[in-house]
Structure formats: C-alpha cells, structure tokens
C-alpha cells in the first residue's frame, strides 16, 4: 500500500511519441491520411482546402463559401442535410482560417457509409442557396456590429492592419458594404476555383467498408493543386497606433511583431521565452501586472503561426486610465528577459508546465491526428514535436536572452490601443 501521507516523487519525462497515419498518395487524387485506433466507435473525417483568406480576391469569399457548403444541394435542402446527418449520429462543421477552409464530419462508425454519401453530395453539388446566403449575411453583419462595440476586437483588428497592411489577407475585413454586395455567383466561382486543392484526414476505428467509402469519394472529387498567390506585407510607418471608443471605460492593448516561423532553428527557444513571459497562469506578465500591480484581470502572450507569417503578441484588457502604465510594464518585462538571466526555478517551472501540457493533450487518437495535421500543413518533419520538447528541455537562460535580443526586442514592438 502506498503511503498517502507522502507526496509521490516527481517524475520528469520528455517523451513524446506521435502516432503517424498511413499516407495514401495516388496520381491525380487528393492526399489521404488514415490514423486507425481509439476505443470509441467514432469516426472523424476532415477535408482541408487551400481556400482560406490568403486566396481571396475580395474579403468574405472564404467565410461564406465554407459556411454555405452544407446549406443545400440540387437534391437536398440545408435542413434536410442537417436532419439526415443527425439521424445517422453525425455532426458536421465547417470553418475558415487565414490559409485554409475545412469541412469536418464525425459520428458513429456503423453509419459512416450513408453519412459520407451525404457529404459527397455537399462537395460535388453545392448550390449555395440564395435564401441561405441572405441569412448568413444577416448573421455576419449582426456579429460585426457586436464586435465593433468591443475594444478587444478593435485593438486586434488595428494591430493586424498595422503590422500587415489593411489590404493584406491576414488583416483585411469584409465590411457591411462588401457583404451586402456579395453574390451567390461570386461564391460559386470561388468554390470552383479553389476547393479542388485539398487533403483528407480520416481518424478512428476504421475498417474495409470505411476505407472503401472514403477512397470512392476521393475518386469522384476533382483534385487539382493550384498556384499560391503572393501578398506583400505593408506595415505602418509609426510604432504606436490607437483608436478611441467614445464612452469606453475599458481599453484593450496589443503589443507585438512579426517573428520567425516554426521551421526556424530558434523557434523552440522562442516558444519557451514566450511561455516564461506570458504563456501560462504562472508567467511573468500575470505575476507582475495582474497579481503584484493589479492592473488587469488577465494578460497573456502568444505566438500565432500561419502558413505565410508568424506573429508574436501580448494581449490585455485594462481600465482606460491604466493603459499607458500597462504598456510601459509590458515593455519593461520584454527588456528584462532580454537583459537579465531567468532564474533556474522559474525556467524549469515553465519548461515542465509547457511539456506536461503538450503531453497531456495527446489523450486520444484524434489529438494525434490534429498534431500530425499541423505537421503536414506546415511542411514540418515528422519528429517536429519530439524535437521541440527536447530543445525546450535543454534550453538555458542565455538562450532566452538570445532569442529576445534577436527576435523580440522591445524597441521593435508595434503597439495598438483601443478604448
């Protein structure tokens, strides 16, 4: 019997074994990745299309094309599609990101064949119904109106526009005028032009019937890789930008810059530096600005990696009259990490927290596929996450100072303030 009065010894592990899927590449067909396993009788299949904001000629096309993808075919209405999938025990979701759009469906493995047949009709015969488009326009405009009352939304938009340029796809916004002018024909043309370049990810307790069904679907879809457009970053020429919000009592702060990508050799040390600074509840920014100075309820820093750019940013919502004090303290903390060595205890705590969280996330087969999907879409090596953990575990205080000096110098930060 273990002595429950004694704390068990701490056991540190840097092990990370990512389950890799079977890769099926056939000439002229979409790549298919199958990860078999799991205890539940659940199957998930995701179609990821190279059709995100990066490919838009005008803002809004990726959002509305993905949203309307399951809203009607020539033989089924949107309500009929939703009802049939629900009867089969399936859930469908669509979405968009700066680089991709996706359609994912998950549910009972025993009903996979009829469910995937419904999805086939959505992918090969979408009609983008006019009444559904009008409804989605109304929802979008209403949400946009709500967002523009939030200083956090305004600060994030201002920050993106200033570091990329207003017309860059990572910053451009579909406003009310553009949305109201959007036509069904534009959406259908965008779908025809961009949704032929896609990858399929299948996860769960697969069998021969499921494999045959997904292979048959891929055979019936026209796959064609298309050229990726180029977009020039046009940052603003001043360091600090602000937007006033009349009668606001709260302000939102965004501080950051474009930085190195996941493939850069310094990226693991950058991840650790960010984690020490503001990546978790025990970080520097939380301790100093929230707990010691009481200037905000929450503050964090993060690294957002897109296919064509990576952005480091610090985010905080504060009282309007304390915004400048918060900005000054954030810059002080960035400078301190650049000029002073992190104490060993603080460094080891951040390492353990980051590595432990990453390991704990891998609790099921679907989490493994999510990590592999990142590896595939970002053209990373298969051992990327194990190497990331090893490099973070071996990082020293001087490595933190080095990446801060090279990649996150406080004098290079863009500051956006709304409130």
């Amino acid at each position: 019997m273990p002595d429950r009065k004694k704390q068990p010894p701490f056991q540190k592990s840097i092990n990370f074994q990512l389950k890799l899927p079977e890769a099926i590449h056939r000439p002229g067909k979409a790549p298919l990745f199958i990860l078999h396993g799991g205890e539940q009788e659940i199957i998930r299949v995701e179609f990821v299309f190279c059709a995100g904001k990066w490919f838009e000629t005008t803002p809004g096309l990726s959002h509305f094309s993905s949203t309307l993808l399951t809203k009607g075919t020539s033989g089924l209405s949107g309500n009929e599609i939703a009802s049939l999938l629900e009867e089969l025990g399936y859930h469908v979701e669509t979405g968009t990101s700066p680089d991709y759009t996706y359609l994912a469906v998950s549910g009972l493995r025993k009903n996979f064949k009829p469910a995937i047949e419904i999805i086939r009709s959505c992918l090969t015969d979408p009609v983008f119904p006019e009444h559904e488009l009008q409804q989605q326009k109304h929802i979008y405009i209403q949400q946009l109106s709500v967002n523009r009352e939030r200083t956090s939304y305004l600060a994030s938009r201002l920050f993106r526009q200033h570091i990329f340029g207003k017309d860059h796809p990572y910053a451009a916004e579909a406003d009310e005028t553009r949305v109201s002018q959007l036509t069904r024909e534009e959406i259908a043309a965008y779908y025809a032009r961009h949704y032929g370049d896609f990858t399929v990810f299948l996860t769960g307790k697969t069998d021969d019937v499921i494999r045959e069904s997904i292979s048959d679907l891929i055979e019936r879809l026209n796959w064609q890789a298309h050229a990726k457009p180029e977009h020039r970053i046009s940052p603003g020429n001043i360091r600090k930008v602000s937007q006033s919000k009349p009668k606001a009592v709260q302000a939102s702060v965004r501080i950051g810059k474009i930085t190195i990508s996941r493939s850069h050799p310094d990226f693991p040390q950058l991840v650790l530096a960010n984690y020490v600074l503001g990546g978790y509840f025990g970080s520097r920014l939380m301790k100093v600005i929230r707990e010691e100075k009481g200037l905000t309820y929450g503050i964090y820093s993060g690294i957002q990696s897109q296919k064509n750019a990576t952005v480091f940013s610090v985010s905080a919502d504060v009282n309007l009259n304390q915004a400048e004090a918060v900005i000054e303290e954030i810059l002080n903390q960035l400078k301190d990490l650049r000029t002073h060595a992190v104490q060993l205890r603080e460094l080891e705590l951040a390492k353990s927290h980051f590595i432990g969280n990453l390991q704990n996330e891998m609790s099921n087969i679907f989490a493994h596929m999510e990590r592999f999907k990142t590896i595939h879409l970002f053209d990373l090596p298969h051992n990327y996450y194990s190497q990331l953990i090893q490099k973070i575990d071996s990082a020293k205080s001087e490595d933190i100072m080095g990446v801060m000096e090279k990649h996150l110098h406080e004098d290079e930060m863009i500051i956006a303030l709304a409130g």
Side-chain angles (χ1 to χ4, degrees):
M1 287 287 292
D3 185 353
R4 301 190 184 277
K5 294 182 180 180
K6 293 182 179 180
Q7 180 178 339
F10 174 73
Q11 294 182 334
K12 181 179 179 180
S13 170
I14 60 171
N15 180 57
F16 188 90
Q17 296 296 325
L18 183 66
K19 300 181 191 301
L20 297 176
E22 173 189 357
I24 300 175
H25 297 278
R26 287 173 292 183
K29 298 299 174 183
L32 169 63
F33 295 96
I34 302 175
L35 188 54
H36 174 79
E39 299 298 323
Q40 298 177 327
E41 298 291 311
I42 300 294
I43 292 291
R44 177 181 171 87
V45 60
E46 183 171 2
F47 300 82
V48 178
F49 307 93
C50 292
K53 294 180 68 175
W54 188 261
F55 299 89
E56 292 179 333
T57 50
T58 54
L61 287 171
S62 64
H63 169 78
F64 285 99
S65 62
S66 64
T67 300
L68 294 172
L69 196 54
T70 59
K71 299 300 183 181
T73 69
S74 59
L76 294 170
S77 69
N79 287 336
E80 288 172 331
I81 291 169
S83 296
L84 288 170
L85 288 171
E86 185 177 358
E87 289 174 8
L88 294 169
Y90 271 78
H91 170 72
V92 65
E93 56 185 293
T94 59
T96 187
S97 73
D99 299 296
Y100 301 98
T101 60
Y102 69 89
L103 184 154
V105 61
S106 54
L108 301 174
R109 66 190 294 267
K110 66 180 182 180
N111 294 333
F112 182 80
K113 191 170 183 179
I116 207 65
E117 186 61 23
I118 297 170
I119 296 303
R120 180 199 65 78
S121 66
C122 294
L123 293 175
T124 59
D125 185 31
V127 296
F128 309 108
E130 183 64 33
H131 71 281
E132 293 281 5
L133 173 58
Q134 294 305 319
Q135 182 178 4
Q136 292 302 319
K137 283 183 178 183
H138 177 74
I139 292 171
Y140 183 94
I141 291 172
Q142 287 294 107
Q143 186 61 56
L144 190 59
S145 177
V146 172
N147 284 340
R148 287 178 175 171
E149 294 300 315
R150 298 164 49 222
T151 58
S152 58
Y153 173 85
L154 296 175
S156 294
R157 184 185 64 176
L158 188 64
F159 177 71
R160 290 193 306 271
Q161 290 178 344
H162 201 63
I163 62 174
F164 288 115
K166 289 185 178 181
D167 296 327
H168 192 278
Y170 287 173
E173 177 189 88
D175 60 18
E176 292 90 343
T177 300
R178 174 60 191 136
V179 170
S180 64
Q181 295 172 346
L182 192 68
T183 67
R184 177 197 166 278
E185 288 72 25
E186 285 180 284
I187 295 169
Y190 187 79
Y191 177 82
R193 186 163 57 249
H194 294 294
Y195 278 68
D197 191 348
F198 66 98
T199 304
V200 184
F201 302 89
L202 175 65
T203 315
K205 295 183 72 172
T206 60
D207 55 28
D208 290 342
V209 172
I210 290 171
R211 285 169 171 260
E212 289 171 8
S213 297
I214 198 68
S215 296
D216 180 63
L217 172 57
I218 291 174
E219 285 291 333
R220 293 201 247 174
L221 295 175
N222 294 321
W223 178 84
Q224 185 175 9
H226 53 66
K228 310 300 188 290
E230 296 291 331
H231 296 285
R232 187 169 65 91
I233 293 174
S234 302
N237 56 10
I238 57 175
R239 184 185 180 195
K240 184 178 179 181
V241 290
S242 61
Q243 180 176 345
S244 63
K245 183 75 172 65
K247 299 182 181 180
V249 295
Q250 176 178 281
S252 294
V253 175
R254 302 292 183 267
I255 296 178
K257 66 185 291 286
I258 295 174
T259 187
I260 56 177
S261 70
R262 280 185 165 110
S263 59
H264 194 284
D266 290 346
F267 192 75
Q269 292 80 12
L270 184 76
V271 169
L272 181 57
N274 167 73
Y275 215 69
V276 172
L277 177 69
Y280 73 116
F281 196 77
S283 66
R284 286 272 186 99
L285 294 177
M286 288 294 284
K287 286 181 178 178
V288 175
I289 297 178
R290 179 184 186 272
E291 297 177 12
E292 294 178 10
K293 296 181 180 282
L295 296 175
T296 179
Y297 281 112
I299 184 169
Y300 61 91
S301 64
I303 300 171
Q304 297 83 40
S305 292
Q306 310 299 345
K307 184 74 172 178
N308 301 284
T310 299
V311 175
F312 161 82
S313 64
V314 179
S315 303
D317 297 326
V318 302
N319 288 334
L320 186 60
N321 59 1
Q322 296 174 324
E324 293 301 329
V326 170
I327 291 170
E328 182 180 2
E329 191 57 51
I330 291 170
L331 296 176
N332 286 341
Q333 292 303 317
L334 286 164
K335 182 178 180 180
D336 190 70
L337 280 180
R338 179 177 64 85
T339 56
H340 295 89
V342 179
Q343 295 297 310
L344 181 60
R345 185 178 182 279
E346 181 183 14
L347 185 63
E348 290 302 314
L349 180 61
K351 287 181 182 181
S352 298
H353 198 278
F354 176 86
I355 294 172
N357 275 351
L358 186 58
Q359 291 169 329
N360 288 336
E361 288 174 2
M362 310 308 292
S363 59
N364 58 61
I365 198 75
F366 304 100
H368 284 261
M369 181 59 101
E370 282 298 309
R371 291 295 177 184
F372 173 77
K373 192 170 66 174
T374 298
I375 285 172
H376 176 75
L377 296 178
F378 282 84
D379 302 315
L380 300 170
H382 285 178
N383 65 347
Y384 171 76
Y385 284 104
S386 60
Q387 288 294 310
L388 177 68
I389 285 178
Q390 291 176 20
K391 289 178 181 179
I392 284 178
D393 182 64
S394 62
K396 297 178 172 57
S397 292
E398 51 264 36
D399 297 322
I400 303 295
M401 296 170 66
V403 295
M404 296 299 294
E405 178 69 37
K406 288 193 291 183
H407 307 299
L408 296 182
H409 198 291
E410 69 277 5
D411 290 345
E412 299 173 352
M413 295 290 157
I414 298 297
I415 302 167
L417 173 65

